[in-house]
Protein backbone atom coordinates (compact mmCIF):
# COMPACT_ATOMS: atom_id res chain seq x y z
CA UNK A 1 0.00 0.00 0.00
CA UNK A 2 1.48 3.32 -0.97
CA UNK A 3 -1.28 5.75 -1.80
CA UNK A 4 -0.55 9.45 -2.05
CA UNK A 5 -2.42 11.65 0.40
CA UNK A 6 -4.94 12.87 -2.23
CA UNK A 7 -5.73 9.26 -3.14
CA UNK A 8 -6.41 8.33 0.48
CA UNK A 9 -8.45 11.49 0.95
CA UNK A 10 -10.67 10.65 -2.00
CA UNK A 11 -11.37 7.20 -0.50
CA UNK A 12 -12.50 8.85 2.73
CA UNK A 13 -14.60 11.44 0.90
CA UNK A 14 -16.43 8.71 -0.92
CA UNK A 15 -16.56 5.85 1.59
CA UNK A 16 -15.95 6.90 5.21
CA UNK A 17 -18.53 8.63 7.44
CA UNK A 18 -17.24 12.12 8.22
CA UNK A 19 -17.79 12.01 12.00
CA UNK A 20 -14.21 13.03 12.81
CA UNK A 21 -12.38 16.26 12.18
CA UNK A 22 -9.18 14.98 10.62
CA UNK A 23 -5.92 16.73 9.86
CA UNK A 24 -4.97 16.53 6.18
CA UNK A 25 -2.26 13.96 6.81
CA UNK A 26 -2.25 10.20 6.29
CA UNK A 27 -0.02 8.28 8.70
CA UNK A 28 1.73 5.18 7.44
CA UNK A 29 4.33 4.03 9.97
CA UNK A 30 5.47 4.62 13.53
CA UNK A 31 8.47 3.83 15.68
CA UNK A 32 8.79 4.89 19.32
CA UNK A 33 8.15 8.64 19.62
CA UNK A 34 8.06 9.14 15.83
CA UNK A 35 5.41 8.69 13.19
CA UNK A 36 5.68 9.14 9.41
CA UNK A 37 3.13 10.34 6.87
CA UNK A 38 2.47 9.19 3.33
CA UNK A 39 4.62 12.00 1.94
CA UNK A 40 7.67 10.90 3.95
CA UNK A 41 7.48 13.56 6.69
CA UNK A 42 8.55 12.48 10.18
CA UNK A 43 6.71 13.86 13.21
CA UNK A 44 7.45 13.75 16.93
CA UNK A 45 4.23 12.33 18.36
CA UNK A 46 3.31 13.77 21.76
CA UNK A 47 -0.24 12.48 21.62
CA UNK A 48 0.32 8.99 20.28
CA UNK A 49 -2.90 7.13 19.72
CA UNK A 50 -4.93 9.65 21.77
CA UNK A 51 -2.93 8.49 24.75
CA UNK A 52 -3.26 4.75 24.08
CA UNK A 53 0.30 4.20 22.92
CA UNK A 54 1.97 4.27 26.30
CA UNK A 55 5.41 3.59 24.78
CA UNK A 56 4.83 5.35 21.49
CA UNK A 57 4.57 3.40 18.28
CA UNK A 58 5.17 -0.31 17.81
CA UNK A 59 7.17 -1.10 20.99
CA UNK A 60 9.20 -4.16 19.96
CA UNK A 61 8.36 -6.30 23.04
CA UNK A 62 4.63 -5.82 22.53
CA UNK A 63 4.93 -6.38 18.79
CA UNK A 64 6.80 -9.63 19.39
CA UNK A 65 4.30 -10.90 21.99
CA UNK A 66 1.38 -10.18 19.65
CA UNK A 67 3.19 -11.74 16.68
CA UNK A 68 3.77 -14.96 18.59
CA UNK A 69 0.21 -15.03 19.87
CA UNK A 70 -1.19 -14.47 16.37
CA UNK A 71 0.42 -17.69 15.23
CA UNK A 72 -0.88 -19.65 18.22
CA UNK A 73 -4.48 -18.59 18.85
CA UNK A 74 -6.26 -15.43 17.65
CA UNK A 75 -9.71 -15.68 19.09
CA UNK A 76 -11.85 -18.01 21.14
CA UNK A 77 -14.97 -16.81 22.92
CA UNK A 78 -15.55 -16.60 26.64
CA UNK A 79 -17.32 -19.95 26.73
CA UNK A 80 -13.83 -21.38 27.26
CA UNK A 81 -10.89 -20.56 29.49
CA UNK A 82 -7.61 -19.22 28.16
CA UNK A 83 -4.42 -18.96 30.17
CA UNK A 84 -3.65 -15.57 28.61
CA UNK A 85 -6.82 -13.96 30.00
CA UNK A 86 -6.26 -15.45 33.44
CA UNK A 87 -2.65 -14.28 33.61
CA UNK A 88 -3.55 -10.80 32.40
CA UNK A 89 -6.25 -10.48 35.08
CA UNK A 90 -3.75 -11.59 37.73
CA UNK A 91 -1.18 -8.99 36.70
CA UNK A 92 -3.75 -6.17 36.74
CA UNK A 93 -5.21 -7.33 40.04
CA UNK A 94 -1.84 -7.55 41.78
CA UNK A 95 -0.94 -4.01 40.75
CA UNK A 96 -4.22 -2.50 41.86
CA UNK A 97 -6.58 -3.48 44.70
CA UNK A 98 -6.67 -7.26 44.41
CA UNK A 99 -9.90 -7.30 42.42
CA UNK A 100 -11.34 -9.41 39.63
CA UNK A 101 -11.53 -8.42 35.96
CA UNK A 102 -14.11 -8.32 33.20
CA UNK A 103 -12.57 -7.70 29.78
CA UNK A 104 -14.01 -5.80 26.84
CA UNK A 105 -12.69 -3.77 23.93
CA UNK A 106 -12.82 -0.07 24.73
CA UNK A 107 -13.19 2.51 27.46
CA UNK A 108 -16.84 3.18 26.84
CA UNK A 109 -17.59 -0.53 27.11
CA UNK A 110 -15.70 -0.81 30.38
CA UNK A 111 -17.83 2.03 31.74
CA UNK A 112 -21.05 0.39 30.50
CA UNK A 113 -20.03 -2.68 32.47
CA UNK A 114 -19.40 -0.52 35.54
CA UNK A 115 -22.82 1.14 35.23
CA UNK A 116 -24.57 -2.23 34.99
CA UNK A 117 -22.56 -3.71 37.84
CA UNK A 118 -23.35 -0.71 40.04
CA UNK A 119 -27.09 -1.05 39.44
CA UNK A 120 -26.95 -4.83 39.92
CA UNK A 121 -24.92 -4.75 43.10
CA UNK A 122 -26.65 -2.03 45.08
CA UNK A 123 -30.02 -2.24 46.86
CA UNK A 124 -33.20 -2.46 44.77
CA UNK A 125 -34.44 1.05 44.01
CA UNK A 126 -30.94 2.48 43.80
CA UNK A 127 -30.00 3.33 40.22
CA UNK A 128 -28.61 6.88 40.09
CA UNK A 129 -24.93 7.56 39.55
CA UNK A 130 -23.31 10.89 40.33
CA UNK A 131 -20.76 11.96 37.72
CA UNK A 132 -18.99 15.26 37.09
CA UNK A 133 -19.04 18.28 34.89
CA UNK A 134 -16.31 18.17 32.24
CA UNK A 135 -16.04 14.41 32.72
CA UNK A 136 -15.54 12.09 29.79
CA UNK A 137 -16.67 8.47 29.94
CA UNK A 138 -17.22 7.49 26.30
CA UNK A 139 -19.75 7.61 23.48
CA UNK A 140 -22.16 4.71 23.84
CA UNK A 141 -25.52 5.71 25.30
CA UNK A 142 -24.78 4.80 28.91
CA UNK A 143 -21.30 6.28 29.02
CA UNK A 144 -22.25 9.41 27.10
CA UNK A 145 -25.14 9.89 29.53
CA UNK A 146 -22.57 9.63 32.33
CA UNK A 147 -20.43 12.25 30.60
CA UNK A 148 -21.17 15.67 32.10
CA UNK A 149 -20.78 17.74 28.95
CA UNK A 150 -23.87 19.09 27.17
CA UNK A 151 -22.09 19.30 23.81
CA UNK A 152 -21.96 15.50 23.62
CA UNK A 153 -25.70 15.17 24.34
CA UNK A 154 -27.09 17.50 21.73
CA UNK A 155 -29.57 15.82 19.42
CA UNK A 156 -29.30 12.31 20.90
CA UNK A 157 -31.68 12.70 23.85
CA UNK A 158 -33.34 11.10 25.68
CA UNK A 159 -30.26 10.01 27.57
CA UNK A 160 -30.11 7.03 29.90
CA UNK A 161 -31.88 8.23 33.05
CA UNK A 162 -30.20 8.37 36.42
CA UNK A 163 -27.10 10.50 35.97
CA UNK A 164 -26.60 13.56 38.14
CA UNK A 165 -23.70 15.91 37.33
CA UNK A 166 -21.80 17.68 40.09
CA UNK A 167 -18.97 20.22 39.75
CA UNK A 168 -15.61 18.40 39.82
CA UNK A 169 -13.89 18.96 43.15
CA UNK A 170 -16.98 20.24 44.97
CA UNK A 171 -17.62 17.75 47.76
CA UNK A 172 -20.53 19.70 49.24
CA UNK A 173 -22.35 19.64 45.92
CA UNK A 174 -21.87 15.87 45.76
CA UNK A 175 -23.22 15.45 49.27
CA UNK A 176 -26.29 17.41 48.31
CA UNK A 177 -26.81 15.30 45.18
CA UNK A 178 -26.91 11.99 47.10
CA UNK A 179 -30.37 10.60 47.82
CA UNK A 180 -31.87 7.22 48.67
CA UNK A 181 -31.77 6.23 44.97
CA UNK A 182 -28.07 6.95 44.48
CA UNK A 183 -26.15 3.78 43.66
CA UNK A 184 -22.70 5.15 43.04
CA UNK A 185 -20.26 7.88 42.12
CA UNK A 186 -18.21 7.65 38.92
CA UNK A 187 -15.18 9.87 38.61
CA UNK A 188 -11.89 10.24 36.80
CA UNK A 189 -9.23 10.55 39.54
CA UNK A 190 -7.63 13.06 37.17
CA UNK A 191 -9.88 14.42 34.45
CA UNK A 192 -8.34 13.90 31.02
CA UNK A 193 -10.44 15.21 28.15
CA UNK A 194 -11.87 17.74 30.60
CA UNK A 195 -8.50 19.50 30.61
CA UNK A 196 -6.05 17.47 32.78
CA UNK A 197 -7.76 18.52 36.02
CA UNK A 198 -6.34 17.33 39.32
CA UNK A 199 -8.83 17.08 42.19
CA UNK A 200 -8.40 19.25 45.28
CA UNK A 201 -6.91 17.71 48.41
CA UNK A 202 -9.36 15.44 50.19
CA UNK A 203 -11.91 15.29 47.38
CA UNK A 204 -11.49 11.63 46.44
CA UNK A 205 -11.33 10.61 50.11
CA UNK A 206 -14.54 12.57 50.66
CA UNK A 207 -16.21 10.62 47.84
CA UNK A 208 -14.93 7.37 49.37
CA UNK A 209 -16.46 8.27 52.74
CA UNK A 210 -19.76 9.26 51.16
CA UNK A 211 -19.96 5.94 49.34
CA UNK A 212 -19.17 4.00 52.51
CA UNK A 213 -21.78 5.90 54.52
CA UNK A 214 -24.52 5.43 51.93
CA UNK A 215 -23.89 1.92 50.58
CA UNK A 216 -22.84 3.23 47.20
CA UNK A 217 -20.06 2.09 44.87
CA UNK A 218 -17.12 4.32 44.03
CA UNK A 219 -16.07 3.91 40.41
CA UNK A 220 -12.79 5.32 39.13
CA UNK A 221 -12.57 5.76 35.38
CA UNK A 222 -8.85 5.26 34.76
CA UNK A 223 -9.20 4.75 31.04
CA UNK A 224 -6.79 7.61 30.37
CA UNK A 225 -4.75 7.60 33.59
CA UNK A 226 -4.22 3.88 34.13
CA UNK A 227 -1.31 1.50 33.64
CA UNK A 228 1.55 3.80 34.45
CA UNK A 229 0.67 6.99 32.61
CA UNK A 230 0.92 9.13 35.73
CA UNK A 231 3.99 7.52 37.33
CA UNK A 232 1.97 5.15 39.50
CA UNK A 233 0.25 2.07 38.14
CA UNK A 234 -3.07 3.81 38.65
CA UNK A 235 -3.78 7.47 39.32
CA UNK A 236 -5.79 6.70 42.46
CA UNK A 237 -2.56 5.53 44.09
CA UNK A 238 -1.38 9.15 44.20
CA UNK A 239 -4.30 9.94 46.49
CA UNK A 240 -4.38 6.84 48.71
CA UNK A 241 -8.07 6.21 48.00
CA UNK A 242 -9.25 2.86 46.62
CA UNK A 243 -12.30 2.49 44.41
CA UNK A 244 -14.79 -0.38 44.40
CA UNK A 245 -14.70 -0.51 40.63
CA UNK A 246 -12.05 0.69 38.19
CA UNK A 247 -12.29 0.94 34.42
CA UNK A 248 -9.32 0.75 32.05
CA UNK A 249 -8.71 0.87 28.32
CA UNK A 250 -6.51 3.24 26.27
CA UNK A 251 -3.12 2.49 27.82
CA UNK A 252 -3.55 -1.15 28.84
CA UNK A 253 -2.41 -2.79 25.59
CA UNK A 254 -0.04 -0.19 24.12
CA UNK A 255 -2.50 0.53 21.33
CA UNK A 256 -4.20 -2.83 20.70
CA UNK A 257 -7.95 -2.35 21.27
CA UNK A 258 -9.01 -3.52 24.73
CA UNK A 259 -10.83 -2.47 27.86
CA UNK A 260 -11.24 -3.88 31.35
CA UNK A 261 -13.27 -3.36 34.46
CA UNK A 262 -11.85 -4.44 37.80
CA UNK A 263 -13.90 -4.77 40.93
CA UNK A 264 -13.38 -5.97 44.47
CA UNK A 265 -13.78 -9.75 44.86
CA UNK A 266 -16.86 -9.40 47.07
CA UNK A 267 -18.65 -7.28 44.43
CA UNK A 268 -17.69 -9.41 41.42
CA UNK A 269 -20.44 -12.08 41.84
CA UNK A 270 -23.10 -9.40 41.23
CA UNK A 271 -22.23 -9.58 37.53
CA UNK A 272 -23.95 -12.94 37.25
CA UNK A 273 -23.53 -15.35 34.31
CA UNK A 274 -25.73 -14.12 31.50
CA UNK A 275 -25.91 -10.53 32.72
CA UNK A 276 -23.04 -9.17 30.67
CA UNK A 277 -20.65 -10.23 27.92
CA UNK A 278 -18.31 -9.11 25.14
CA UNK A 279 -17.53 -11.38 22.19
CA UNK A 280 -13.96 -10.17 21.81
CA UNK A 281 -13.41 -9.35 25.48
CA UNK A 282 -10.09 -10.57 26.84
CA UNK A 283 -9.17 -12.27 23.56
CA UNK A 284 -5.71 -13.86 23.38
CA UNK A 285 -4.24 -11.06 21.22
CA UNK A 286 -5.33 -8.32 23.61
CA UNK A 287 -4.22 -10.41 26.57
CA UNK A 288 -0.78 -11.02 25.06
CA UNK A 289 -0.42 -7.29 24.41
CA UNK A 290 -1.68 -6.45 27.90
CA UNK A 291 0.73 -8.84 29.60
CA UNK A 292 3.64 -7.55 27.49
CA UNK A 293 2.69 -3.96 28.34
CA UNK A 294 2.79 -4.61 32.10
CA UNK A 295 6.10 -6.49 31.84
CA UNK A 296 7.60 -3.70 29.78
CA UNK A 297 6.59 -1.04 32.31
CA UNK A 298 8.42 -3.02 34.99
CA UNK A 299 11.45 -4.21 33.04
CA UNK A 300 12.20 -0.73 31.77
CA UNK A 301 11.35 1.21 34.92
CA UNK A 302 8.69 3.23 33.14
CA UNK A 303 6.84 4.35 36.25
CA UNK A 304 10.03 6.12 37.39
CA UNK A 305 10.56 7.42 33.87
CA UNK A 306 7.05 8.89 33.75
CA UNK A 307 7.72 10.61 37.08
CA UNK A 308 11.05 12.00 35.87
CA UNK A 309 9.41 13.14 32.67
CA UNK A 310 6.75 14.99 34.65
CA UNK A 311 9.44 16.77 36.68
CA UNK A 312 11.29 17.71 33.52
CA UNK A 313 8.14 19.11 31.93
CA UNK A 314 7.41 21.06 35.07
CA UNK A 315 10.80 22.77 35.10
CA UNK A 316 10.64 23.71 31.44
CA UNK A 317 6.99 24.76 31.46
CA UNK A 318 7.30 26.86 34.62
CA UNK A 319 10.16 28.73 32.90
CA UNK A 320 7.95 29.26 29.89
CA UNK A 321 5.06 30.45 32.01
CA UNK A 322 7.20 33.21 33.54
CA UNK A 323 7.88 34.57 30.08
CA UNK A 324 4.77 33.82 28.06
CA UNK A 325 1.66 35.66 29.22
CA UNK A 326 -0.92 33.45 27.56
CA UNK A 327 0.01 30.44 29.72
CA UNK A 328 -2.51 30.48 32.56
CA UNK A 329 -1.93 27.19 34.36
CA UNK A 330 0.22 24.09 34.16
CA UNK A 331 -1.10 20.73 35.37
CA UNK A 332 1.22 17.73 35.31
CA UNK A 333 1.08 14.22 36.74
CA UNK A 334 3.83 12.03 35.29
CA UNK A 335 3.47 11.79 31.52
CA UNK A 336 0.09 13.54 31.54
CA UNK A 337 0.48 17.22 30.87
CA UNK A 338 -2.05 20.03 30.55
CA UNK A 339 -1.16 23.62 29.67
CA UNK A 340 -4.14 25.91 30.10
CA UNK A 341 -4.01 29.01 27.92
CA UNK A 342 -5.85 32.30 28.10
CA UNK A 343 -6.61 31.93 24.40
CA UNK A 344 -7.91 29.23 22.05
CA UNK A 345 -5.30 26.51 21.51
CA UNK A 346 -6.22 25.18 18.07
CA UNK A 347 -3.80 27.38 16.15
CA UNK A 348 -0.88 26.12 18.26
CA UNK A 349 -1.75 22.54 17.43
CA UNK A 350 -1.75 23.54 13.78
CA UNK A 351 1.51 25.49 14.11
CA UNK A 352 3.26 22.59 15.87
CA UNK A 353 2.03 20.16 13.23
CA UNK A 354 3.62 22.33 10.55
CA UNK A 355 6.84 22.06 12.58
CA UNK A 356 6.38 18.27 12.72
CA UNK A 357 5.21 17.96 16.31
CA UNK A 358 1.85 16.35 17.07
CA UNK A 359 -0.01 17.59 20.15
CA UNK A 360 -3.65 17.94 21.23
CA UNK A 361 -5.90 20.68 22.48
CA UNK A 362 -8.95 19.92 24.63
CA UNK A 363 -11.78 22.08 26.01
CA UNK A 364 -10.76 24.80 23.56
CA UNK A 365 -7.84 26.16 25.54
CA UNK A 366 -5.92 23.33 27.20
CA UNK A 367 -2.91 21.96 25.34
CA UNK A 368 -2.77 18.28 26.28
CA UNK A 369 0.34 16.14 25.92
CA UNK A 370 0.37 12.37 26.56
CA UNK A 371 3.87 11.49 25.34
CA UNK A 372 5.32 8.00 25.43
CA UNK A 373 6.74 7.51 28.91
CA UNK A 374 10.04 6.26 27.45
CA UNK A 375 10.61 9.36 25.31
CA UNK A 376 14.24 10.50 25.80
CA UNK A 377 14.39 13.80 27.69
CA UNK A 378 16.46 15.39 24.88
CA UNK A 379 13.55 14.75 22.56
CA UNK A 380 11.18 16.27 25.12
CA UNK A 381 13.36 19.39 24.93
CA UNK A 382 13.26 19.41 21.14
CA UNK A 383 9.48 19.17 21.23
CA UNK A 384 9.17 21.85 23.91
CA UNK A 385 11.37 24.18 21.85
CA UNK A 386 8.88 23.83 19.01
CA UNK A 387 5.89 24.37 21.31
CA UNK A 388 7.57 27.35 22.96
CA UNK A 389 8.28 29.10 19.68
CA UNK A 390 4.63 28.63 18.70
CA UNK A 391 3.30 29.92 22.03
CA UNK A 392 5.62 32.96 21.83
CA UNK A 393 3.76 34.00 18.69
CA UNK A 394 0.76 34.44 21.02
C1 LIG B 1 -11.11 7.92 26.08
C2 LIG B 1 -11.83 7.79 27.34
C3 LIG B 1 -12.99 6.99 27.44
C4 LIG B 1 -13.60 6.32 26.25
O1 LIG B 1 -12.76 5.33 25.72
P1 LIG B 1 -13.08 4.68 24.29
O2 LIG B 1 -12.07 3.58 24.18
O3 LIG B 1 -12.92 5.76 23.27
O4 LIG B 1 -14.47 4.18 24.34
C5 LIG B 1 -13.58 6.86 28.68
N1 LIG B 1 -13.08 7.47 29.77
C6 LIG B 1 -11.98 8.23 29.72
C7 LIG B 1 -11.46 8.86 30.97
C8 LIG B 1 -11.32 8.43 28.51
O5 LIG B 1 -10.23 9.22 28.44
Amino acid sequence: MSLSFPETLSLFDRYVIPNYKRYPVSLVRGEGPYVWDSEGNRYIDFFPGWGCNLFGHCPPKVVEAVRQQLGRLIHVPNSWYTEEQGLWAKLLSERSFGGKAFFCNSGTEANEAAIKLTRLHTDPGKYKIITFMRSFHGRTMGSVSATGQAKYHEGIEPLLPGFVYAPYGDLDAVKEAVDSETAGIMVEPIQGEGGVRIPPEGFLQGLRDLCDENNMLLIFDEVQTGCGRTGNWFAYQHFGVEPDVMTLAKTICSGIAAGAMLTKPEIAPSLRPGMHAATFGGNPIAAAAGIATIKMVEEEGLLEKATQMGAHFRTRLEEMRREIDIIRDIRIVGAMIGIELQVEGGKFVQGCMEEKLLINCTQGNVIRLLPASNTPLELVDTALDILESQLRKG
Side-chain angles (χ1 to χ4, degrees):
M1 265 179 287
S2 54
L3 299 185
S4 69
F5 176 65
E7 288 167 328
T8 300
L9 183 62
S10 72
L11 289 175
F12 274 67
D13 283 346
R14 175 73 182 84
Y15 298 112
V16 180
I17 292 175
N19 62 310
Y20 298 99
K21 220 176 83 201
R22 296 177 195 267
Y23 298 106
V25 171
S26 168
L27 299 174
V28 296
R29 181 168 81 80
E31 194 181 318
Y34 298 109
V35 68
W36 283 262
D37 72 14
S38 55
E39 315 304 291
N41 296 301
R42 186 183 80 172
Y43 301 81
I44 302 173
D45 194 351
F46 265 27
F47 201 64
W50 279 355
C52 297
N53 306 2
L54 197 57
F55 321 122
H57 297 275
C58 303
K61 286 179 181 173
V62 178
V63 170
E64 193 44 40
V66 169
R67 240 188 212 132
Q68 285 188 13
Q69 186 60 48
L70 275 170
R72 201 158 50 231
L73 189 65
I74 293 180
H75 179 59
V76 290
N78 283 298
S79 35
W80 283 272
Y81 294 91
T82 65
E83 62 184 60
E84 291 83 5
Q85 187 177 137
L87 285 171
W88 189 20
K90 174 176 189 272
L91 295 181
L92 289 170
S93 176
E94 287 171 349
R95 281 150 192 78
S96 51
F97 47 85
K100 293 188 169 187
F102 162 80
F103 290 103
C104 51
N105 310 288
S106 65
T108 201
E109 261 184 274
N111 286 330
E112 294 289 341
I115 293 164
K116 284 172 75 170
L117 173 63
T118 301
R119 288 186 173 187
L120 284 164
H121 182 75
T122 49
D123 301 338
K126 282 188 187 256
Y127 70 101
K128 293 179 186 166
I129 298 179
I130 297 172
T131 63
F132 293 89
M133 293 169 189
R134 291 214 195 91
S135 60
F136 187 81
H137 299 297
R139 303 298 201 137
T140 52
M141 282 310 292
S143 298
V144 83
S145 300
T147 295
Q149 301 195 55
K151 67 180 179 193
Y152 295 133
H153 299 160
E154 275 165 25
I156 59 164
E157 298 98 341
L159 301 175
L160 181 70
F163 291 97
V164 182
Y165 315 120
Y168 191 70
D170 185 344
L171 196 55
D172 290 332
V174 182
K175 281 183 188 156
E176 238 159 76
V178 173
D179 64 25
S180 60
E181 294 173 331
T182 311
I185 300 174
M186 182 184 230
V187 63
E188 294 157 84
I190 298 166
Q191 283 191 335
E193 196 265 359
V196 188
R197 287 175 207 278
I198 301 161
E201 179 96 34
F203 178 61
L204 297 178
Q205 183 62 52
L207 299 182
R208 176 72 272 172
D209 295 343
L210 260 183
C211 286
D212 293 342
E213 289 155 15
N214 295 282
N215 291 322
M216 310 187 301
L217 295 188
L218 181 60
I219 306 151
F220 283 168
D221 178 344
E222 294 238 20
V223 168
Q224 193 160 143
T225 50
C227 276
R229 162 68 59 203
T230 66
N232 269 332
W233 273 110
F234 303 100
Y236 77 79
Q237 292 161 340
H238 291 285
F239 304 97
V241 179
E242 273 187 7
D244 301 302
V245 180
M246 173 169 73
T247 56
L248 301 171
K250 291 203 169 87
T251 45
I252 55 170
C253 287
S254 305
I256 298 277
M261 173 184 73
L262 274 84
T263 189
K264 291 184 176 161
E266 62 272 25
I267 298 171
S270 291
L271 210 58
R272 301 185 300 274
M275 287 311 296
H276 201 55
T279 297
F280 285 118
N283 66 77
I285 303 302
I291 292 167
T293 298
I294 290 170
K295 287 191 176 156
M296 190 167 156
V297 168
E298 287 176 351
E299 285 165 13
E300 306 197 4
L302 291 170
L303 297 181
E304 296 76 27
K305 284 200 175 133
T307 305
Q308 284 161 12
M309 175 176 281
H312 191 77
F313 268 100
R314 186 171 302 284
T315 309
R316 280 284 317 254
L317 289 171
E318 291 293 352
E319 270 168 34
M320 276 163 66
R321 171 155 65 169
R322 282 196 286 278
E323 294 177 15
I324 303 174
D325 291 345
I326 59 167
I327 300 178
R328 183 189 283 162
D329 194 17
I330 293 162
R331 298 187 285 268
I332 302 172
V333 188
M336 186 170 184
I337 295 111
I339 309 164
E340 185 172 327
L341 305 176
Q342 282 167 17
V343 295
E344 290 286 302
K347 67 177 176 182
F348 303 111
V349 177
Q350 185 67 36
C352 284
M353 197 176 72
E354 282 158 20
E355 299 298 323
K356 308 291 179 280
L357 169 67
L358 306 184
I359 61 171
N360 171 258
C361 177
T362 187
Q363 299 291 320
N365 69 334
V366 182
I367 301 288
R368 180 171 44 153
L369 311 174
L370 297 171
S373 55
N374 54 356
T375 309
L377 294 182
E378 308 85 72
L379 194 64
V380 170
D381 282 330
T382 306
L384 282 174
D385 289 344
I386 295 171
L387 178 62
E388 178 170 355
S389 72
Q390 293 299 317
L391 291 175
R392 277 187 190 281
K393 294 181 188 169

